[in-house]
Each structure stands twice: as C-alpha cells, then as structure tokens.
Amino acid sequence: MQIFKVGGAVRDRLLGIPVTDVDRVVVGATTEQMVAQGFRPVGADFPVFLHPKTGEEYALARTERKSGRGYGGFTFHASPDVTLEEDLIRRDLTINAMAEDDQQNLTDPYHGQRDLEARILRHVSPAFAEDPLRVLRVARFAARYASLGFTVAPETLELMRQLSESGELQALTAERSWKEISRALMEDQPQVFIQVLRDCGALKELMPEVDALFGVPQPEVHHPEIDTGLHTLSVLEQSALHKQPLTVRWACLLHDLGKGLTPEEEWPRHIAHEHTGLKLIKAVNERFKAPKDCQELALLVGKYHTHCHRALELKASTLLELLQSFDVYRRPQRFEEFIGACEMDARGRKGLEQRSYPQADYLRGAAQAAREVAVQPLLEKGFKGPELGEALKRERLKALKAYKDKASA
Ligand code: CTP
C-alpha cells in the first residue's frame, strides 16, 4: 500500500502556512489490511481510519457518485484498484486536490500548484456539483485567503451559481451549513464569505434576509456608504479587525435585518427597524440552529443597538431597563459582547472606521454603577421577594442618576 498526505496539509505547506491537521489517503489497501495493522475504523459513511498512535486520519482512496439529493445521497467505491488520480478528481478545488508522499514528491494532476501561484480557487471537475456544501466551502476559502490575493475562478463561480439556482442548497443540513458559516465568520475577512455567496446567488438561497439589504439606502449623514448591504459587510470586516468572538460576528451580520423590510416610500429612514428585524433574526438563527449564545446576542443586538449608540442621551430609567434586559448583574460578558457589536456597527461606515465610540465606556461605567448597589442593606431593612426586587431597582436607578450627573458634570 502507498500513503499520501492530501488536501489542506499539502495546500498550506506550499503556501507556507502552518499545517494544523493532516489527512492521508491510502492507495492499494483493503479495510481488512488496515484493521490488521491496528488502524481504528471511524467513518460511518466512508472507509476512514485513525492511526493507532498519532490519531491522524487515513482514508482509503475512493471514488464517489451522487445517487440522490442531499448529503445522504452518495454511493462510493473504495477498493485497492482505485488510483490516487481517481481519488483526487472527486475533490472540490484544484488547490485541495494535490498529494505528496513522505519525501514531499508532489502528485498534482489537476494543476493545483499552478492555481496556488496564480491565487485562483478553481473546481477540479464537474464532480464539484455532487456536494452543494462546496459552495459554502469555496466562499470560506475565499474569505480565508483573500489577504493572499485569492479569487474564485469565473467558471467556478458560474458552477456555484448553477448549484444555487438548482435549489440544491436547501438540502444541506443546518449542522453542516453552520459549521461552514461559523468557520467562515472567524476568518480574517468574513465579509468576503458573504460577498462571494452573494456573487453566486447563494446568499439569496441561504439568507434571503441578508441578501435583501443590498440596494436598500440609509441616510447619508449617519451612513456615508448609503447601502445597507455594504454597511453590513463593513461591520463584519471591523468585527474581524477587532478580533471579536463568533457571537459578536454573528450579531454583526444580522443586526440590521429589519431595514430590508422598510417600505420603499420610507427610504432612506428605517423607523423601528430594531423591532421589525427581530422575527427575521429569529428565523435565520433557527434555520442554522446557531448555538444559544449566538442566537441570544444577535436578538439583543438587533433590538438594542440604537440604544447603545444613543447611550449618552438615555434617561437613567431607560439605562436601567437596558441593563435589566441584559441581566448585567449575572451576565457581564454578554453585555460586553453587546457593546462590542454596537461599536463595530458604529465603525463599519465609510470613512468613520477610526471614530471614537465613547458610548462603550459610558455603558461599562453605568453597568458598574448598577452592579455596585449592594443587596445586603436592603435585606437588613427586611425587604423580601418582589419587594426586594423593587427596592433594588430603586437603588440602582438612584445610582444611575448619580452616575449620569457625574458624567455630564
Ligand atoms: N473535500 C472535498 N469536498 C468536501 C470536503 C472535503 O473535496 N465537501 C476534500 C478536499 O480535498 C479537502 C479535503 O477533502 O482538502 C479535506 O477536507 P477538510 O479537512 O474539510 O478541509 P481542508 O481542505 O483540510 O481545509 P481546512 O484547512 O479548512 O480544514
């Protein structure tokens, strides 16, 4: 049997990027031979094994054919007579379809190295269409390697367009899609992921609520970039520049969905978009089964981002309501993420990327002031149950009034 490194490990080594996980393909072996050598079979769907010592993945060379809709609809053929070239041709991109042996001799029948040098993401063959998840994968790779100058080949974008228009993306499971989306959002240029999905018509299929933001104008005084879709891309870009966590990036993507529902006669204003957007945010959250913390933050940012921008003008009672809604006493981290997302929203505007955002520290200070109100003296006064809650609120309101007075002095 012969063993080759394949996929990302070969690609990233040639790009000079640290390799994290290594996949290997085994040519000329049977399942029985692998097991006899101590490999542990793990693939429920495919003949994949873990190395007994290193735990790395070894897959038998295979060919694949699509036999139906969705990911379940695959048949594969793995046998010792499947060649390395046959295994590589079923893969997604030419830069992912190279193999190398122990001496780093490259097998590159589909010119992956040429495309690496030319900075092109190009599909290997029409077999690309057999897994619609690849539309998201290509957009994710585009986001990851944008800073190196990579772009999607026109013919690949066209194939991605056909796949999107065919309705095949609807057959993807929430779990597979979310895995790609969440990884893409954590790349250096997550806005490129959304842009590429839009360019091939996939955004309309996957997140029509986000797609609908393109072409929707906002008031130029607050939004020199005008277009709500472009604004959303800039907010995402800022979220990566500021190394925000996934929760914040997800909230950034969804914060303005309500603007896509504003009747044209009301443009460029978007009165109450924070409220109209909530049902859309909920729908997108649920479509991809986003983790609970992502779902929660996206809804809170959607509902309250304009509160944050106007923080310095808020009455003490409104400030208190805001802090209560976030349960800042028990969930300080979530409030910090909210502030982060709102700051990205403020900076994701053309020419305003470097602006200061005093609202952030102002709200942090307000949260601190409310948090410092001690419960003990109220307990000692005999307050219990709902009355204790009310008394606590009154004290916090007092503290916030004092905080406001001090801040404006
Ligand atoms: N692959 C594919 N189509 C998919 C998933 C994977 O063709 N839908 C192939 C590609 O050749 C890919 C390899 O399987 O390089 C390994 O897949 P994976 O580990 O998911 O990705 P990597 O390319 O290693 O990239 P990453 O750095 O994102 O893990």
Side-chain angles (χ1 to χ4, degrees):
M1 71 173 77
Q2 284 178 295
I3 296 176
F4 301 89
K5 281 186 190 165
V6 281
V10 181
R11 176 195 69 219
D12 287 343
R13 186 186 69 76
L14 292 171
L15 280 173
I17 294 174
V19 171
T20 42
D21 58 33
V22 181
D23 294 314
R24 290 188 175 76
V25 70
V26 184
V27 179
T30 61
T31 295
E32 293 70 29
Q33 283 170 312
M34 296 297 284
V35 172
Q37 295 205 12
F39 283 89
R40 281 182 288 129
V42 283
D45 304 322
F46 305 121
V48 180
F49 304 84
L50 296 184
H51 189 279
K53 292 219 177 71
T54 65
E56 289 177 334
E57 264 188 38
Y58 288 66
L60 293 188
R62 64 176 190 261
T63 58
E64 262 165 21
R65 225 161 1 94
K66 200 166 166 63
S67 56
R69 211 176 148 88
Y71 196 52
F74 268 116
T75 52
F76 69 88
H77 167 73
S79 82
D81 58 9
V82 174
T83 65
L84 184 58
E85 285 74 10
E86 284 170 332
D87 181 279
L88 294 175
I89 202 170
R90 68 168 172 84
R91 293 173 184 263
D92 52 2
L93 295 173
T94 59
I95 62 165
N96 288 341
M98 297 181 275
E100 66 184 19
D101 64 16
D102 279 349
Q103 277 76 50
Q104 293 188 346
N105 294 311
L106 201 65
T107 303
D108 182 17
Y110 310 109
H111 310 296
Q113 202 170 19
R114 191 176 68 193
D115 285 340
L116 264 191
E117 276 156 22
R119 305 306 202 217
I120 292 177
L121 303 170
R122 193 195 313 273
H123 66 285
V124 179
S125 80
F128 179 92
E130 299 194 347
D131 182 5
L133 189 75
R134 288 170 170 172
V135 173
L136 283 84
R137 277 176 62 89
V138 174
R140 172 166 67 79
F141 285 120
R144 183 191 292 176
Y145 298 127
S147 56
L148 297 178
F150 276 83
T151 55
V152 182
E155 66 270 29
T156 302
L157 202 65
E158 182 49 36
L159 191 55
M160 289 159 71
R161 170 175 301 285
Q162 287 167 18
L163 262 169
S164 303
E165 284 171 0
S166 73
E168 275 275 320
L169 297 180
Q170 304 301 335
L172 292 171
T173 62
E175 289 75 12
R176 291 188 85 210
S177 299
W178 176 255
K179 206 167 157 207
E180 289 301 323
I181 293 166
S182 55
R183 289 184 74 186
L185 289 179
M186 290 313 290
E187 295 292 354
D188 281 349
Q189 304 216 35
Q191 77 283 7
V192 173
F193 175 69
I194 301 297
Q195 182 68 58
V196 169
L197 291 180
R198 176 165 159 78
D199 291 345
C200 70
L203 192 61
K204 201 162 66 205
E205 294 293 312
L206 297 165
M207 298 184 204
E209 302 86 348
V210 177
D211 195 64
L213 300 178
F214 290 84
V216 174
Q218 309 163 100
E220 197 173 350
V221 271
H222 302 300
H223 286 281
E225 72 288 348
I226 300 178
D227 189 277
T228 312
L230 295 184
H231 164 59
T232 301
L233 295 180
S234 300
V235 178
L236 262 187
E237 185 179 2
Q238 289 298 317
S239 74
L241 280 171
H242 289 266
K243 308 275 178 232
Q244 297 288 357
L246 177 62
T247 45
V248 172
R249 297 184 190 204
W250 181 241
C252 285
L253 178 63
L254 305 185
H255 78 284
D256 263 348
L257 292 189
K259 290 182 178 173
L261 294 177
T262 310
E264 269 188 58
E265 341 41 289
E266 291 177 21
W267 287 358
R269 299 184 68 202
H270 298 279
I271 300 154
H273 73 276
E274 306 86 348
H275 293 282
T276 54
L278 291 179
K279 60 177 184 296
L280 303 185
I281 297 174
K282 190 162 179 279
V284 181
N285 270 338
E286 287 171 2
R287 185 173 317 138
F288 298 107
K289 297 189 185 157
K292 194 158 165 267
D293 55 350
C294 289
Q295 296 208 16
E296 255 179 29
L297 191 72
L299 286 164
L300 286 165
V301 170
K303 190 165 175 188
Y304 293 113
H305 60 279
T306 40
H307 274 65
C308 190
H309 299 330
R310 291 189 291 109
L312 278 71
E313 296 121 62
L314 297 181
K315 290 187 294 186
S317 58
T318 316
L319 266 179
L320 180 63
E321 277 169 40
L322 181 70
L323 299 176
Q324 303 278 102
S325 308
F326 276 85
D327 193 8
V328 282
Y329 320 104
R330 278 180 299 184
R331 306 277 304 269
Q333 183 58 30
R334 185 173 64 175
F335 192 60
E336 190 50 44
E337 290 176 2
F338 163 70
I339 294 173
C342 296
E343 183 170 347
M344 300 306 104
D345 176 22
R347 291 181 189 279
R349 304 172 192 216
K350 199 171 162 206
L352 300 175
E353 295 83 357
Q354 307 299 333
R355 78 197 319 195
S356 63
Y357 193 68
Q359 293 91 327
D361 275 342
Y362 181 80
L363 278 184
R364 287 185 187 111
Q368 189 54 28
R371 229 181 265 125
E372 277 167 6
V373 170
V375 192
Q376 196 56 33
L378 299 174
L379 288 171
E380 282 165 13
K381 281 187 190 160
F383 286 110
K384 286 197 285 281
E387 281 178 4
L388 177 65
E390 285 309 309
L392 205 48
K393 253 189 177 168
R394 278 197 302 278
E395 292 304 313
R396 283 172 178 157
L397 188 59
K398 254 196 250 167
L400 287 172
K401 279 186 178 146
Y403 174 75
K404 256 186 86 70
D405 289 345
K406 207 169 137 208
S408 56

